Amino acid sequence: MSSPARPVNFRTLDLNLLRVFDVVMEERHVTRAAHRLSITQPAVSNALRRLREATHEELFIPSSTGVEPTPHAQALWPVVRRALSSLQQALEPQPFDPRAVGNEVSFTLAMADATAALVVPRLAQRFLKEGVHVGLRVVPLTTRDPRELLEQGWADLAIGFFPDLTEQLLVEDDSAALRREALYSGRYVCVMRPDHPLAEPGALTLDAYCAAQHLRVNFAGRPHGFVDDALALLGRRRTVAMTVNSFFTGALAVQQSDLLTVLPDTFVPAIGLSDRLASRQVPFALRGIDISQVWHVRADPDPAQRWLRGEISAISAVIAAARAMPQSASFG
């Protein structure tokens, strides 16, 4: 009656022993295996001894040409190879090829319509030109704080203006859960229909602005925003007749009414309404717009995610360069 098999001693089993076993199985020669592993022959022999003690099985027997694996080693080898391959893929992700036909990789980007109007057309053009095969889904931002979106995995990237989050990340160290990259900058302008009385040169004074009827764009539909905060610092206020949650809706509404609104200066040209809307400088100080891409730290090592962030960076460099050129639009 044979004795029952003894369990493997995992206390003495480490990954290096399995790597030595794999190479010896390939070479069937201890000296050649040592050369491939860049270690000494005694070190290989010692590793095989430790592996034999851990498994309680003879693995190799001497032969005229080196060593021959036992039946147990032959049965063990495919399992060890699969395990080592899986670990290598997990620890050293393979390069991502966005042009591979049949690619099943897809991304979700969260951004407001003003940002999407600039980024998405350029992204589509770039992908088609380069033969990229990836899925892309754009979801609307309903907040200026994308932390939950990224932490819960509802989006791979959030692209937009996140002033509070930006300030927080600037003072945090590398232990922060989110990462940020600045992309391009802009400013806000006051937008109205071209024949609005306040579109006349010099007509949009602070008093005239506060006396007018306004449309507020607020992603969450809140009855207060950064424009109201800026006016409050001056002891002033405006009358908001309507609040909407997208820049595009706001642009269409002021085009057909006497309402004023505040939009990013890139938005009206991006949606092709420059001849149907007038953009004027806001008659008080408003902070600039610093567009960033933000992602969760767990996406840092992923090759596909790194590629996507690189594509967004390249597109944003084109946007920034275009903004640096002399502008043909007139701001009164």
Side-chain angles (χ1 to χ4, degrees):
M1 182 176 179
S2 61
S3 60
R6 287 183 290 174
V8 173
N9 185 356
F10 284 100
R11 290 184 180 179
T12 59
L13 184 64
D14 65 45
L15 187 61
N16 290 324
L17 301 185
L18 298 181
R19 173 63 177 147
V20 170
F21 170 76
D22 181 50
V23 174
V24 173
M25 284 295 295
E26 284 187 338
E27 296 292 340
R28 308 295 168 96
H29 199 282
V30 173
T31 302
R32 289 199 299 267
H35 179 73
R36 275 186 56 183
L37 292 164
S38 299
I39 58 178
T40 65
Q41 181 178 335
V44 172
S45 299
N46 183 54
L48 294 179
R49 177 188 58 76
R50 291 174 57 198
L51 188 58
R52 182 179 68 249
E53 292 172 351
T55 60
H56 311 297
E57 294 283 353
E58 198 68 50
L59 298 172
F60 297 97
I61 57 176
S63 73
S64 60
T65 58
V67 293
E68 287 293 329
T70 65
H72 182 75
Q74 294 278 18
L76 184 62
W77 194 26
V79 179
V80 169
R81 298 217 87 180
R82 285 196 298 270
L84 290 174
S85 177
S86 296
L87 281 171
Q88 184 176 13
Q89 290 180 16
L91 298 173
E92 300 177 8
Q94 298 301 307
F96 172 64
D97 182 7
R99 298 166 187 81
V101 177
N103 216 329
E104 296 184 357
V105 174
S106 63
F107 306 101
T108 299
L109 308 183
M111 62 184 95
D113 56 342
T115 309
L118 279 180
V119 172
V120 173
R122 289 172 170 83
L123 203 57
Q125 183 182 41
R126 187 177 178 91
F127 281 11
L128 289 173
K129 181 179 178 181
E130 297 182 356
V132 168
H133 293 276
V134 299
L136 195 65
R137 187 167 70 101
V138 178
V139 297
L141 269 175
T142 57
T143 175
R144 291 219 182 270
D145 187 348
R147 274 174 283 205
E148 186 177 13
L149 274 172
L150 300 168
E151 289 168 357
Q152 298 298 324
W154 296 330
D156 298 297
L157 271 180
I159 305 172
F161 179 37
F162 311 117
D164 293 339
L165 178 60
T166 296
E167 290 180 10
Q168 179 182 336
L169 293 178
L170 286 174
V171 299
E172 289 185 356
D173 56 22
D174 290 341
S175 63
L178 300 183
R179 297 286 185 264
R180 168 188 171 269
E181 179 188 359
L183 296 176
Y184 61 90
S185 299
R187 62 170 178 159
Y188 288 108
V189 292
C190 183
V191 176
M192 64 199 79
R193 56 184 174 82
D195 57 347
H196 194 290
L198 296 183
E200 293 294 326
L204 190 62
T205 63
L206 178 59
D207 288 338
Y209 181 91
C210 293
Q213 296 284 307
H214 294 264
L215 178 144
R216 177 193 293 119
V217 178
N218 189 288
F219 299 156
R222 290 190 296 269
H224 196 80
F226 65 91
V227 173
D228 305 290
D229 292 336
L231 287 171
L233 291 175
L234 301 174
R236 307 297 293 266
R237 57 179 298 178
R238 60 176 177 166
T239 300
V240 177
M242 184 180 298
T243 299
V244 300
N245 65 355
S246 82
F247 293 111
F248 186 74
T249 301
L252 293 181
V254 300
Q255 179 195 338
Q256 303 174 48
S257 71
D258 282 337
L259 296 174
L260 307 182
T261 194
V262 172
L263 302 176
D265 62 344
T266 56
F267 183 60
V268 171
I271 60 174
L273 292 180
S274 296
D275 60 338
R276 294 155 66 182
L277 288 168
S279 298
R280 298 291 181 263
Q281 184 174 326
V282 178
F284 51 93
L286 276 182
R287 60 181 161 187
I289 308 170
D290 296 312
I291 301 297
S292 305
Q293 60 175 336
V294 182
W295 64 95
H296 197 275
V297 66
R298 64 173 172 266
D300 261 347
D302 186 282
Q305 298 270 2
R306 290 202 301 269
W307 170 83
L308 175 63
R309 295 194 295 270
E311 293 294 294
I312 299 297
S313 295
I315 288 167
S316 299
V318 174
I319 295 172
R323 291 186 54 78
M325 297 173 63
Q327 301 294 310
S328 59
S330 172
F331 295 96

